[in-house]
Amino acid sequence: LKTRILLLCLSLFLLTSQVIHAQERLQVTASFTILADVAKQVAGDAADVASLMPIDADPHTFSPTPQDLIALANSNLILVNGINFEEGLMESIENAGSEMNIVVVSECVPILPIGASAHHETEETHEEHEAEVSVIETDSSETAARCATYETELGIETSDDHDEASLGHLYEINCGEHHEESGEEHEAGSCDPHVWTNPENVMLWTLRIRDALSQADPTNAETYAANASAYLETLRALDANELLPLVETLPVESRVLVTNHETLGYFAVHYGFELIGVVLEGGTTVAEPSAAEVAALIDTIRSADVHAIFAENTTSTTLIQRVAEDTDITIVTLYSDSLGDAESSASTYLDYMRYNVQTIVTALTSSD
Ligand SMILES: [Zn+2]
């Protein structure tokens, strides 16, 4: 009997050594601050969540230090947005060659092409950039099944939701990679990574994070499930009771945006805004527009009678300042690819959305 008990204990030990030990807390690293905040809501007090990138860092250009890579390797779980958003980070992880437990939280999100927005008129003035679409072989059916359960759980039908605009789910399409050096704009990487500007996509993140945490730390699965459903309710209420009513105070014809880089595509489709111009094209911040492109943007702004242009907390504003001076319009700063610090109006994702929607509605209201 003693031997049996010993064997039982040994096999239990071997089983549990795949996951963390009961007395240890799960260590989670999220690539950027917005994702880290959402992960913290799901983790609650049961796991430790850190953001790799600091506040106000630009995730498009962030490259980790060797110490960052060691910290990543010591995490039980790494959460990334994906869609080529963390370009420098993923390249460094690949080069480091170490095996890390990485979860792409946007895998069930219907992906929009860069430059997607609501169309107020039926004119064909809007050019869509064709994305390279190909099926990713690995784990595709498993992921598809998981995404289908998420849609049922949330009571949404994402495949029909954005039928016109969407390229498909991330697991079905190949978003390619940015080739900054090639000088061929829009050649590849035509998927828009800024999915969190639509709270529905953050609901999909929440479910993916819940399942990733539960798999790595089954002891606390119930806690993660309870935290996730509470947060889902909060996100639903934020969107339906606060943000949508606020947007609806703006007449449809005033819902027109010019931004610094293309961060608001998902926002625009969800809330019915039209994106008429952007300073830095291509969905990233590394673009260097030509003098002709800047001149064309200035023309667009003048002819559309735009009175505000939206800048970001994470990128330099030299060029946007020039555009604003030339067109005599106000620059209004939004939080884009990072939260603000603890004292700011955007220290959590919920406040980030509140601040941005309030700021956009105020700027576009006063311009009437
Ligand atoms: Zn960005």
Side-chain angles (χ1 to χ4, degrees):
L1 186 71
K2 263 186 185 171
T3 329
R4 273 196 180 178
I5 290 171
L6 195 68
L7 275 174
L8 187 68
C9 289
L10 186 67
S11 58
L12 274 177
F13 172 77
L14 287 173
L15 272 175
T16 51
S17 64
Q18 301 294 320
V19 295
I20 61 158
H21 300 290
Q23 68 274 23
E24 288 173 12
R25 285 163 64 83
L26 186 73
Q27 301 298 309
V28 182
T29 302
S31 58
F32 71 119
T33 54
I34 296 169
L35 179 52
D37 177 58
V38 176
K40 274 178 195 162
Q41 309 309 316
V42 181
D45 297 327
D48 296 326
V49 181
S51 174
L52 176 71
M53 300 183 201
I55 278 165
D56 291 343
D58 177 0
H60 296 281
T61 55
F62 181 88
S63 202
T65 63
Q67 286 86 347
D68 288 336
L69 286 171
I70 293 168
L72 283 175
N74 290 331
S75 305
N76 305 108
L77 191 62
I78 301 165
L79 305 173
V80 300
N81 178 61
I83 328 169
N84 300 319
F85 181 58
E86 300 98 340
E87 284 178 71
L89 172 65
M90 298 312 281
E91 203 185 310
S92 301
I93 288 177
E94 272 168 36
N95 292 342
S98 46
E99 286 198 10
M100 296 182 193
N101 191 7
I102 300 172
V103 170
V104 177
V105 297
S106 297
E107 68 176 17
C108 296
V109 172
I111 301 301
L112 295 178
I114 288 158
S117 76
H119 299 256
H120 292 170
E121 276 106 346
T122 44
E123 305 162 39
E124 288 168 45
T125 49
H126 190 82
E127 50 177 292
E128 303 248 330
H129 307 300
E130 286 291 310
E132 190 192 325
V133 176
S134 70
V135 175
I136 297 165
E137 308 282 329
T138 45
D139 293 324
S140 184
S141 62
E142 195 188 310
T143 309
R146 180 161 55 228
C147 296
T149 67
Y150 290 175
E151 290 181 13
T152 311
E153 205 173 335
L154 294 177
I156 54 171
E157 184 56 80
T158 57
S159 12
D160 292 339
D161 212 23
H162 305 298
D163 231 358
E164 270 175 64
S166 167
L167 296 168
H169 294 89
L170 185 55
Y171 63 87
E172 297 164 324
I173 61 175
N174 179 3
C175 287
E177 279 170 22
H178 292 295
H179 297 291
E180 309 135 45
E181 302 89 14
S182 72
E184 295 171 73
E185 295 153 83
H186 316 306
E187 196 235 359
S190 25
C191 300
D192 185 348
H194 305 91
V195 301
W196 60 89
T197 60
N198 175 354
E200 279 181 1
N201 295 336
V202 174
M203 294 179 195
L204 290 163
W205 277 12
T206 302
L207 294 179
R208 188 66 193 91
I209 294 167
R210 175 198 64 190
D211 290 352
L213 297 186
S214 304
Q215 198 184 358
D217 178 20
T219 318
N220 287 307
E222 275 178 36
T223 305
Y224 300 137
N227 292 346
S229 53
Y231 192 54
L232 287 176
E233 273 319 303
T234 309
L235 290 170
R236 272 203 193 94
L238 174 80
D239 192 37
N241 307 339
E242 291 186 55
L243 305 184
L244 279 166
L246 197 54
V247 167
E248 277 157 15
T249 65
L250 267 185
V252 173
E253 63 272 17
S254 299
R255 297 183 204 168
V256 170
L257 298 168
V258 177
T259 61
N260 184 48
H261 86 289
E262 298 181 71
T263 56
L264 293 176
Y266 295 87
F267 175 90
V269 169
H270 184 63
Y271 293 107
F273 283 79
E274 193 166 7
L275 298 175
I276 62 157
V278 65
V279 180
L280 305 172
E281 284 197 27
T284 176
T285 57
V286 295
E288 284 175 38
S290 66
E293 287 170 322
V294 174
L297 174 66
I298 288 171
D299 280 351
T300 305
I301 292 170
R302 284 192 177 132
S303 60
D305 199 25
V306 172
H307 296 267
I309 180 168
F310 296 98
E312 302 123 5
N313 61 328
T314 50
T315 40
S316 118
T317 54
T318 322
L319 189 57
I320 195 173
Q321 264 161 12
R322 244 184 56 207
V323 172
E325 274 165 31
D326 285 5
T327 52
D328 198 26
I329 57 174
T330 320
I331 298 181
V332 178
T333 303
L334 301 175
Y335 290 94
S336 60
D337 295 355
S338 163
L339 296 177
D341 63 34
E343 266 77 65
S344 75
S345 318
S347 61
T348 64
Y349 171 72
L350 301 174
D351 283 344
Y352 162 103
M353 287 304 293
R354 284 185 185 110
Y355 180 88
N356 282 353
V357 173
Q358 182 70 67
T359 304
I360 288 169
V361 169
T362 305
L364 298 181
T365 302
S366 60
S367 74
D368 283 345

